Amino acid sequence: MPPRHHQPEALLATLSADRGRSDRLTHTEHLPARAARYAPWPEGIRPEIVAAAEGLGVSRPWAHQAEAMALAGSGRSVVIATGTASGKSLGYLAPVLSELLDGTEARNGRGSTALYLAPTKALAADQRRRAAELVPGRVRVALYDGDTPGEEREWVRQYASYVLTNPDMLHRGILPAHPRWASFLKALTYVVIDECHSYRGVFGSHVAQVLRRLRRLCARYGADPTFLLASATTAEPAATAQRLTGLPAVAVTDDASPRGPLVFGLWEPPLTENVGEHGAPVRRTATAEAGHLLTELVEAGTRTVVFVRSRRGAELVALQAQDQLGQPLAGRVAAYRGGYLAEERRALERDLHSGRLLGLASTSALELGVDVSGLDAVLMAGYPGTRASLWQQAGRAGREAQGALAVLIARDDPLDTYLVHHPEALFATPVEATVLDPDNPHVLAPHLCAAAAELPLTEPDLALFGPSTARLLPVLEQRGLLRRRADGSWYWTKRERAVDGVDLRGSGGSPVQIVEAPTGRLLGTVDAAAAHTTVHTGAVHLHQGRTYLVQDLDLETSVALVERADPPYTTSARDITSISVLSTDTTEQWGEARLSFGSVEVVNQVVGYLRKRISTGEILGESKLDLPPRTLRTRAVWWSVTEDQLLDADIPVDQLPGAAHAAEHASIGLLPLFATCDRWDIGGVSVPLHPDTGLPTVFVYDGHSGGAGFAERGFSRAVEWLAATRDAIAACECERGCPSCVQSPKCGNGNDPLDKAAAVRLLGILLAGAPDRPGADRPDSDRPGPVPGQPGPDQPGSDQPAPGQSAPGQSASGQSAPGQPTSDRPAL
């Protein structure tokens, strides 16, 4: 094997020079090395911990680690928001494990306990290894998650001092069974929340309420734990930590860890000879480009991870590299993603740690802190949605102060195209703040039911759960879910477990099991809300490089039956959408135009799917589907223009549907630049004449029941957001519109109609009346959304994201008649 390259400049030069690819590198950013700054060990850190750290090569902590240790030891809640590989784990492990060591001297051997929460099972398993390296065996460290065998769970409850779990298990397994955890909760001193920046949107809002329920039960048993949070670099970390936990926190943000030089390349795949929908030019896909670059890096002996946006994409990149490498190197490349069985994940993690794997194509499941040491390069097949995630992924390489290479490969997408040609948006712009809204009534209501089932709710609990609590309790009583006793306490009234009505991750129900029909073997799972678009009958499904066709999707039993196949095509769902305004919170006049924020109802139905040739994207045919509609009540930002403005912008009636549709697509693509989301979290609908506004209107909505805060952020930064949208469309070099500007990969209408030039004029006339100051006043964030319990499916616990869709009256092919809406759907 050729020697490994350790110089990132040489790696990038080789990649861009080979095969005439120099024009694909649009920008190179050089981030200089940074020297370490050290501090002495704070008082209170046990000598056993110091000795173990020294044995691992850590003679002194970095300054930010020591600061976090000292704050934690004083009982103050702390959020450590520093870069990847900055030793955040030691910053919280040293005080936690020191406290647990002190606790071993108690009569029962656990005078103190600690709880660790991670967003993924892999990260919790990795943290157990780290804890075991630092602390003597008398501190009992244990995993408690869905993979923990039943016979081990009782031991964990009775004897473990440091329990590592995830929010789902805390919500479903620990809090409802709190009497059995009484001795653990009574001694709970620390709660560690790792990778807390990942708790955003609806998921973050649910976790915030789970943590409030935990604090309430701890108080019941006489405990008041200190919260220690670890985050990637993020804006306003102290405010985010307080929103998540409900407690004030001190932020530690001055990163004192050493960093090797990082060479960061922005890469745009070339245009191909192929054409997409309606003859639009098509660039080579980011996954195909990543597969080729991964192949060359592995051939050079360069340890590389590729981050891919989708599970299917991760499979395709690994498969492509394996095919191009041939044996024996093909055996050193693999895919890693959610949905694998536990034993598959564990095997991949072992191979990654041992160095047997040289190249790995992963979803963001590997982004969140799993200790991947010694990597030379990171490829990102598409912008990961936020700058915080971008730097988190890039930081996976270059550990231990070695030089590293990171390359962002643009997808054929408005935001990716904008970023690789506007590097200042990445390198001269601070990272985003984490957006979550614990007061979302669709989130809060089911947690109030769960809390009442754990312990009756009393008057002092109202402040803990937030300002909407007092308003929601009578609603829940009217619906027969809670009952108020004479003493003023609220009780859960049902025999069912209240927690079973809460879907933390907004998946809309139980996961759908993917079963191999001939053998009955379970291949994996997919979220219920994604089933309509990803494992519908006839869909192509990839699993560990093998291709399957879905023979049948049974929604009643939550099973998708698949068979091995090798079709020459991929599948893409088609859907229809309608939207109605439920209430308007805030409206601003932009000259004659109006910008509004409020609550909407979106009805979506998947009606068919396209078959596209793998090699070219050519559409081979379309098939009909008969799936039930899904209804979503959520929050949206929308803008309307008048007929006079359309005349001023020279947009006749026949151009209006294409102009509004193109503006909608591009605005969805650019919103992630201003909110902590990506385009798959949000949806949109454009209507030439909407019945609720009486005007041409474009809606952009959160793809989660009750809202996730993304549309609100778009409203507050609408001037900057829509100006960037207009500029991105105008700057694209295509003639009539393409995936880099106005076409969307998730359009329910087959990207028809679209009018690129008219969209620029439409946005221009809208912005002409915009406020002088960028960013309008924010809507009242304390104003609650619609109360759960109104007609529709959004009852407590049914927090289901909706597919976004097209419109009543459209054909199955998504063709839009004048006056009818066109749409772009969020992820499921």
Side-chain angles (χ1 to χ4, degrees), residues 180-197:
R180 303 177 70 187
W181 287 84
S183 64
F184 180 88
L185 293 173
K186 183 177 181 179
L188 191 61
T189 308
Y190 286 111
V191 177
V192 177
I193 306 173
D194 207 353
E195 305 292 352
C196 68
H197 64 280

Side-chain angles (χ1 to χ4, degrees), residues 18-63:
D18 284 358
R19 308 182 188 183
R21 293 189 296 218
S22 58
D23 59 335
R24 304 181 195 181
L25 189 64
T26 62
H27 178 80
T28 303
E29 190 80 9
H30 294 267
L31 281 72
R34 179 181 63 209
R37 290 181 286 115
Y38 295 94
W41 291 95
E43 291 184 11
I45 304 303
R46 295 270 300 216
E48 298 96 322
I49 304 297
V50 174
E54 290 176 345
L56 295 171
V58 180
S59 57
R60 289 180 297 163
W62 293 318

Side-chain angles (χ1 to χ4, degrees), residues 557-578:
T557 60
S558 296
V559 171
L561 295 175
V562 301
E563 288 188 7
R564 283 293 305 274
D566 191 22
Y569 59 83
T570 61
T571 51
S572 175
R574 283 285 181 253
D575 50 21
I576 59 173
T577 304
S578 63

Side-chain angles (χ1 to χ4, degrees), residues 241-268:
Q242 181 164 352
R243 205 173 299 125
L244 190 62
T245 65
L247 295 169
V250 181
V252 174
T253 58
D254 186 10
D255 194 336
S257 63
R259 183 184 67 194
L262 175 67
V263 175
F264 205 128
L266 303 182
W267 190 284
E268 184 174 42

Side-chain angles (χ1 to χ4, degrees), residues 31-117:
L31 281 72
R34 179 181 63 209
R37 290 181 286 115
Y38 295 94
W41 291 95
E43 291 184 11
I45 304 303
R46 295 270 300 216
E48 298 96 322
I49 304 297
V50 174
E54 290 176 345
L56 295 171
V58 180
S59 57
R60 289 180 297 163
W62 293 318
H64 68 276
Q65 293 174 316
E67 180 186 359
M69 294 175 197
L71 287 166
S74 69
R76 302 182 68 181
S77 291
V78 182
V79 54
I80 313 170
T82 53
T84 309
S86 60
K88 293 186 284 287
S89 294
L90 183 62
Y92 58 73
L93 276 174
V96 168
L97 297 179
S98 293
E99 176 67 28
L100 296 183
L101 270 173
D102 290 344
T104 62
E105 296 163 7
R107 178 180 295 181
N108 66 354
R110 63 170 191 179
S112 292
T113 61
L115 184 69
Y116 169 93
L117 297 176

